[in-house]
Amino acid sequence: MDTLSVLWTITAANKAASVVPKVVRLCRGQSLHCLFTFSANNMPAQAAAEPFFSQLRQRVAAHHIPLQCASRSGDWFDITNDYLAEHHCTCLVVSPQINQGSSLASDRALLRMLQHSVVDVYVLSMQPWSNQQCVLVALDLNHRSGKVFAHAHQVAQQLSLPLEVVFIVDLLQQAHIADAVLLQQTQLLNEAILNAKQHMAALIKRSQVAVSEIHYRVGQRDQQLMQQLKASPVAMLVMGQHHHVDIIGGDGVAHILRDKEVDLCVVATP
């Protein structure tokens, strides 16, 4: 992966411990910062940090991953952004929940981070990865899809999993085409699929990346993405920040991540 330094933020050591194997695989060959955040004056939480750090040092030592550990109190969003800038971290990993009892759907701080972060953000569940799964990348006709595709390929290599693509063409997002026309003109749909296939072929030719399967879908992008997540055995979903802001902010992806425990990677595409 094209990360030089990974920041992993945690708030609960008992939850974070089960995610360590995933973090190790994601940052293999890179340096790792582990930041334990807690609310002000929460001494029990602060006391729990050092035992976890000690165990983490032992677990990553065998993988030759440079590690720095720190604990800070205050607002999670501000602390995380300050640390990213201070240590020039280029990737953020978030454990299953920022606050105990919260979910991706309701945790506004995490949603805000996913939508506005200038670094790639991973949200990891406690479910282990399986070699029967795949990395699924969601693409569209946006010119930034090439960056998302390249990053998804790197993730698939890191996890030693096949790469699947779902190419979603949401014609309803194109203001110059009326909804009624979209529903009546099959030719437009056929042209959209052809355009998507040509775009995908160009991406593969430029990157010379092996893709396990390519799924082409036309329709409302959040609905089509949900259907593909249900159809493919996904370990991690990779999407671009630029064209999935509305999906990230809705309940659709949050519901799938929570119920299926699919991990999420949002590639920063400002």
Side-chain angles (χ1 to χ4, degrees):
M1 297 174 62
D2 292 333
T3 55
L4 299 176
S5 184
V6 177
L7 171 60
W8 179 29
T9 62
I10 65 172
T11 58
N14 60 331
K15 295 180 180 294
S18 63
V19 188
V20 172
K22 287 184 172 184
V23 175
V24 168
R25 289 180 69 177
L26 283 174
C27 66
R28 190 171 297 157
Q30 313 298 331
S31 64
L32 173 64
H33 294 253
C34 184
L35 177 63
F36 192 103
T37 65
F38 55 95
S39 57
N41 301 319
N42 190 340
M43 299 306 296
Q46 185 176 14
E50 191 52 46
F52 174 78
F53 289 157
S54 179
Q55 296 175 5
L56 180 63
R57 291 186 186 98
Q58 295 177 8
R59 297 182 70 172
V60 303
H63 300 281
H64 307 289
I65 297 174
L67 174 66
Q68 294 187 44
C69 298
S71 58
R72 295 183 181 180
S73 65
D75 178 78
W76 178 87
F77 185 85
D78 292 336
I79 292 172
T80 301
N81 274 321
D82 289 346
Y83 195 98
L84 284 168
E86 179 182 340
H87 295 274
H88 307 289
C89 298
T90 54
C91 174
L92 173 64
V93 175
V94 180
S95 289
Q97 298 168 326
I98 291 179
N99 299 310
Q100 292 183 347
S102 68
S103 68
L104 181 60
S106 61
D107 199 320
R108 308 316 300 176
L110 179 53
L111 291 176
R112 185 181 172 196
M113 182 67 74
L114 292 175
Q115 292 170 335
H116 302 293
S117 175
V118 297
V119 302
D120 303 330
V121 182
Y122 293 82
V123 183
L124 302 183
S125 72
M126 291 183 285
Q127 185 70 23
W129 292 317
S130 164
N131 57 12
Q132 302 300 315
Q133 294 176 300
C134 70
V135 172
L136 177 68
V137 56
L139 301 178
D140 65 2
L141 293 172
N142 191 286
H143 68 280
R144 287 168 286 193
S145 288
K147 178 181 179 181
V148 180
F149 180 60
H151 189 85
H153 173 237
Q154 293 173 339
V155 172
Q157 287 186 315
Q158 286 289 103
L159 306 189
S160 300
L161 294 176
L163 177 63
E164 290 191 15
V165 176
V166 55
F167 206 115
I168 304 173
V169 181
D170 189 348
L171 295 177
L172 295 177
Q173 296 292 323
Q174 301 183 29
H176 64 284
I177 303 178
D179 291 359
V181 174
L182 290 178
L183 295 175
Q184 295 172 7
Q185 299 295 326
T186 303
Q187 181 180 355
L188 284 175
L189 302 181
N190 292 336
E191 290 177 355
I193 292 295
L194 178 61
N195 193 12
K197 290 183 177 180
Q198 292 174 341
H199 191 90
M200 193 67 230
L203 277 179
I204 292 176
K205 183 177 181 180
R206 287 198 304 268
S207 59
Q208 298 183 336
V209 170
V211 175
S212 175
E213 290 189 53
I214 305 175
H215 313 276
Y216 295 96
R217 292 182 174 270
V218 178
Q220 192 170 337
R221 57 190 178 191
D222 56 343
Q223 294 178 0
Q224 296 300 321
L225 180 57
M226 294 308 103
Q227 292 182 24
Q228 193 58 54
L229 279 171
K230 295 175 182 178
S232 297
V234 180
M236 180 173 292
L237 168 65
V238 180
M239 63 170 66
Q241 183 186 63
H242 65 286
H243 62 284
H244 287 296
V245 169
D246 55 337
I247 298 177
I248 296 169
D251 291 335
V253 166
H255 175 76
I256 294 295
L257 293 175
R258 183 172 61 250
D259 291 355
K260 291 190 64 178
E261 295 194 87
V262 173
D263 295 339
L264 172 66
C265 171
V266 176
V267 181
T269 53

